[in-house]
Amino acid sequence: MKCKIHRCNCRKVWSIQNRKSKTTAQSILLIGEWFTELKPERLCEPKGFVATKKNQEIIYNPTKKYLEKFIIIDKLIYDKKNVNFNIKSGNSLFFAEDGTCYVLKEIK
């Protein structure tokens, strides 16, 4: 089932939403394919999301030991003014507690 992830800055949490439920977490590890979705015609925020087709790839509040299996490749940056992301799709993301989103690569 498709899930959308976005930052709720008012509560300083990440929101994970599908058509059946909505969950929040301080940090999220997304393992697997993801893509960005933009809806500039929306009147309210958020207008940009990270989406995945499988919610079983989402780990809520991962431990530091678990994150050691990955290296940071880049930052995923959302331009709120122009409703755009710097990267359109990829594999593995870490949504940090401070609101930063990192593109990861698994260490083999």
Side-chain angles (χ1 to χ4, degrees):
M1 181 181 306
K2 180 179 171 181
C3 286
K4 293 182 181 179
I5 303 169
H6 70 276
R7 180 75 175 171
C8 181
N9 285 326
C10 58
R11 296 186 306 166
K12 298 191 184 327
V13 294
W14 292 99
S15 177
I16 305 95
Q17 187 174 350
N18 61 33
R19 62 185 167 91
K20 291 186 177 182
S21 66
K22 182 177 179 178
T23 309
T24 59
Q26 295 296 318
S27 63
I28 302 168
L29 177 60
L30 171 60
I31 302 172
E33 292 184 38
W34 58 269
F35 57 94
T36 58
E37 191 172 296
L38 301 171
K39 297 195 176 192
E41 69 280 355
R42 284 185 68 176
L43 298 176
C44 59
E45 292 293 337
K47 295 179 181 182
F49 308 88
V50 169
T52 182
K53 294 188 182 200
K54 299 179 183 175
N55 60 356
Q56 59 266 39
E57 299 172 334
I58 298 172
I59 300 168
Y60 303 99
N61 304 315
T63 63
K64 289 185 182 192
K65 186 169 183 163
Y66 196 84
L67 291 171
E68 290 173 356
K69 298 177 184 178
F70 299 89
I71 57 170
I72 295 173
I73 301 296
D74 204 354
K75 276 188 185 179
L76 179 65
I77 300 170
Y78 174 61
D79 180 358
K80 187 175 177 178
K81 183 179 177 185
N82 296 314
V83 188
N84 198 17
F85 284 94
N86 65 329
I87 303 170
K88 305 294 181 211
S89 63
N91 284 315
S92 301
L93 284 175
F94 175 59
F95 300 86
E97 289 183 35
D98 64 0
T100 309
C101 187
Y102 297 102
V103 179
L104 303 176
K105 181 179 178 183
E106 191 168 2
I107 300 171
K108 303 224 177 189

